Amino acid sequence: MKNNAISEATIKRLPIYLRYLNRLKISSVEKVSSREIGENLNFNPSQVRKDLSFFGDFGKRGYGYDVVILVRRIEEILNLDHHIPVCLVGAGKLGQALSNYNHYLEEHMKIEAIFDQNPKKIGEMIDDLTIQPDDEIIETIHNKKIKVGIICVPEDNAQHVTNLLVKAGIKAILNFAPIIVKTPEDVKVNYADFTSELHTLAYFLDKP
Amino acid sequence: MKNNAISEATIKRLPIYLRYLNRLKISSVEKVSSREIGENLNFNPSQVRKDLSFFGDFGKRGYGYDVVILVRRIEEILNLDHHIPVCLVGAGKLGQALSNYNHYLEEHMKIEAIFDQNPKKIGEMIDDLTIQPDDEIIETIHNKKIKVGIICVPEDNAQHVTNLLVKAGIKAILNFAPIIVKTPEDVKVNYADFTSELHTLAYFLDKP
DNA sequence: TAGATTGTTAATCGATTAACAATC
DNA sequence: TAGATTGTTAATCGATTAACAATC
């Protein structure tokens, strides 16, 4: 076990390990080696072992890793051992599609509030949630103890909505709007930027 | 100008530069410095200059970069100076939401075919496209000269659909299914994995 | 014990940043 | 010319991988 700071790259791989391990767990697989994990996820086995050893000695030499234990440990590391309420800002088509992915988040996280500034949408139901107006963002986040915000609004509104989330005390944001938003240093923003991903892919095509 | 291989990290930033520069272009801004680009996109100015200098001497010392020229150059580098047809496999809520993002891809790329294996969906229209069955994937990709595939199917079907795309000669895939797919080495797969992104964000929250 | 696989170190590889001469 | 900003090198920083002793 090492005490050094954990690298961002390692943190980003943990959810990928977790998902794979959960699949093994469901299939009642008891143990797994770094080699097997690596083969399935296209990682180097050394990297797998190094990532995991940052957090403790989870494996057994000559045996591998106990799947159930490893799942529990990674959940703890990621703060997923207790429920995290999430909100969604922007109830357009993409937002509505995402709200259906609640079950992919498993018990760990759940979208528990949806906001939109379009008066026509306010009051509409998505599953068991009523779309609320943007000016209820701060109060609702406090009441429901929401910790993470997902931004699905058009780019012109993304900074404004970000400011509201920050004001409400949110420290973690997933931004689907194709624009870099400004936040205080203690707020972590991840980007889900699929038009960028597509444009990046174009680079790898042969010149026509 | 350097001749060294271009790093993956640089390629991933190019679409982000491009989007920002296009915004400047629309606002009729004529020139921009690496400092300004950096400030707006949270990049180091040295990094911006280094990224751009891989491809040629686009800037003018003491002046900065000409926005129109830089947009054109980055489009050329990314193969976005000609139209790239894209297909979407999986017409669930997420797939349908993505098909509405065509305009975000601007003239560069366009979803020109949608597939689903659900017989109930086949024949339905999404905008001007008819949902086609999966077994028309290969033929349609050839006929429409589609170069990029977006996978929006459930994880159990993702590898199967990937195999079809590969068989059709696709070399670039954006996978929304939360599973790592196996492909030949010459096929580039990017992942749009927002449940992972959310789980990563959880790490940065305070322990409760 | 023999075989397997971890945890960890050291080596390598790659990416970022600072600094500054070149030059518009 | 003076000021500004690039292009590029060198230094730094960080991440990946190979190798192997430790040990189950």
Side-chain angles (χ1 to χ4, degrees):
Chain A
M1 147 113 89
K2 303 223 275 178
N3 280 327
N4 305 345
I6 312 303
S7 84
E8 180 93 18
T10 294
I11 301 301
K12 284 196 174 276
R13 281 188 292 269
L14 292 181
I16 298 171
Y17 296 142
L18 181 59
R19 193 161 50 203
Y20 170 65
L21 293 163
N22 261 322
R23 230 174 265 141
L24 294 183
K25 190 176 155 188
I26 288 168
S27 315
S28 303
V29 176
E30 278 179 19
K31 72 181 176 103
V32 66
S33 67
S34 60
R35 185 185 47 74
E36 289 173 285
I37 297 175
E39 274 172 15
N40 271 281
L41 302 176
N42 293 342
F43 295 139
N44 181 299
S46 288
Q47 185 170 66
V48 174
R49 293 199 297 280
K50 194 156 207 282
D51 282 344
L52 297 176
S53 73
F54 276 116
F55 305 98
D57 297 355
F58 297 162
K60 296 187 192 104
R61 283 164 206 247
Y63 174 88
Y65 298 88
D66 181 293
V67 171
V68 170
I69 291 177
L70 198 48
V71 164
R72 193 163 60 228
R73 286 298 162 84
I74 296 179
E75 285 179 347
E76 283 167 16
I77 296 163
L78 289 173
N79 281 320
L80 295 175
D81 52 338
H82 57 271
H83 179 74
I84 299 177
V86 177
C87 75
L88 176 66
V89 191
K93 291 222 171 151
L94 183 60
Q96 292 188 35
L98 295 180
S99 67
N100 283 94
Y101 271 65
N102 258 334
H103 73 278
Y104 271 108
L105 299 170
E106 301 176 45
E107 327 84 83
H108 307 317
M109 292 176 136
K110 189 164 176 271
I111 295 168
E112 300 192 356
I114 303 180
F115 306 98
D116 201 291
Q117 33 114 263
N118 180 347
K120 285 190 208 152
K121 287 200 178 140
I122 292 161
E124 266 180 39
M125 299 287 288
I126 296 184
D127 291 316
D128 54 341
L129 295 172
T130 310
I131 298 177
Q132 299 173 255
D134 278 6
D135 48 15
E136 292 178 9
I137 286 180
I138 294 178
E139 202 191 335
T140 305
I141 283 175
H142 282 126
N143 291 344
K144 296 201 171 181
K145 300 191 194 322
I146 285 166
K147 300 292 179 221
V148 176
I150 304 177
I151 298 181
C152 275
V153 301
E155 60 179 286
D156 341 35
N157 202 29
Q159 184 62 60
H160 172 66
V161 158
T162 302
N163 297 347
L164 288 176
L165 293 175
V166 169
K167 206 183 270 183
I170 291 286
K171 302 290 183 205
I173 293 173
L174 180 56
N175 183 16
F176 282 83
I179 191 165
I180 311 292
V181 292
K182 302 284 173 192
T183 56
E185 270 201 357
D186 65 337
V187 177
K188 175 84 183 164
V189 183
N190 275 180
Y191 292 86
D193 184 352
F194 66 90
T195 61
S196 269
E197 297 284 352
L198 280 176
H199 285 165
T200 301
L201 282 173
Y203 175 82
F204 295 95
L205 298 175
D206 296 327
K207 293 275 170 199
Chain B
M1 144 111 93
K2 302 221 275 180
N3 280 326
N4 306 345
I6 312 304
S7 83
E8 178 94 20
T10 294
I11 302 299
K12 283 196 175 275
R13 281 188 293 269
L14 292 181
I16 299 172
Y17 296 142
L18 180 59
R19 192 160 51 204
Y20 170 66
L21 292 164
N22 261 322
R23 229 175 264 139
L24 293 183
K25 190 178 156 187
I26 288 169
S27 314
S28 303
V29 176
E30 277 178 21
K31 71 181 178 105
V32 66
S33 67
S34 59
R35 185 186 45 73
E36 288 173 284
I37 297 176
E39 273 172 14
N40 273 279
L41 303 176
N42 293 341
F43 295 139
N44 182 298
S46 289
Q47 186 169 68
V48 174
R49 293 200 298 281
K50 195 157 206 282
D51 282 344
L52 297 177
S53 71
F54 276 116
F55 304 99
D57 295 356
F58 298 162
K60 298 187 193 105
R61 284 164 205 248
Y63 174 87
Y65 299 88
D66 181 293
V67 171
V68 171
I69 290 177
L70 198 47
V71 165
R72 194 164 56 228
R73 287 298 164 85
I74 297 179
E75 285 178 347
E76 283 167 15
I77 296 163
L78 290 174
N79 282 319
L80 295 173
D81 52 339
H82 56 272
H83 179 74
I84 299 178
V86 177
C87 75
L88 176 66
V89 191
K93 291 221 172 152
L94 183 59
Q96 292 188 34
L98 295 180
S99 67
N100 282 95
Y101 270 66
N102 259 334
H103 72 279
Y104 271 109
L105 299 170
E106 302 175 46
E107 328 83 81
H108 307 317
M109 292 176 137
K110 189 164 176 270
I111 295 169
E112 301 192 356
I114 303 181
F115 305 98
D116 202 291
Q117 34 115 261
N118 181 346
K120 284 190 209 150
K121 286 198 179 140
I122 292 162
E124 268 181 37
M125 298 287 289
I126 297 184
D127 293 316
D128 54 342
L129 295 172
T130 311
I131 299 177
Q132 299 173 254
D134 279 6
D135 47 17
E136 293 179 9
I137 287 180
I138 294 179
E139 200 192 334
T140 304
I141 284 176
H142 283 127
N143 291 343
K144 296 201 171 180
K145 299 190 193 327
I146 286 167
K147 300 291 181 222
V148 176
I150 305 177
I151 297 180
C152 276
V153 301
E155 60 179 286
D156 340 37
N157 202 28
Q159 184 63 58
H160 172 66
V161 157
T162 302
N163 298 346
L164 288 176
L165 293 176
V166 169
K167 206 182 270 182
I170 292 286
K171 302 291 183 205
I173 293 173
L174 180 55
N175 182 16
F176 283 83
I179 190 164
I180 311 292
V181 292
K182 301 285 173 192
T183 56
E185 270 200 359
D186 66 336
V187 176
K188 175 85 181 160
V189 183
N190 275 179
Y191 291 86
D193 184 353
F194 67 90
T195 60
S196 269
E197 297 283 351
L198 280 175
H199 286 163
T200 301
L201 281 172
Y203 175 82
F204 296 94
L205 298 175
D206 296 327
K207 294 272 170 201

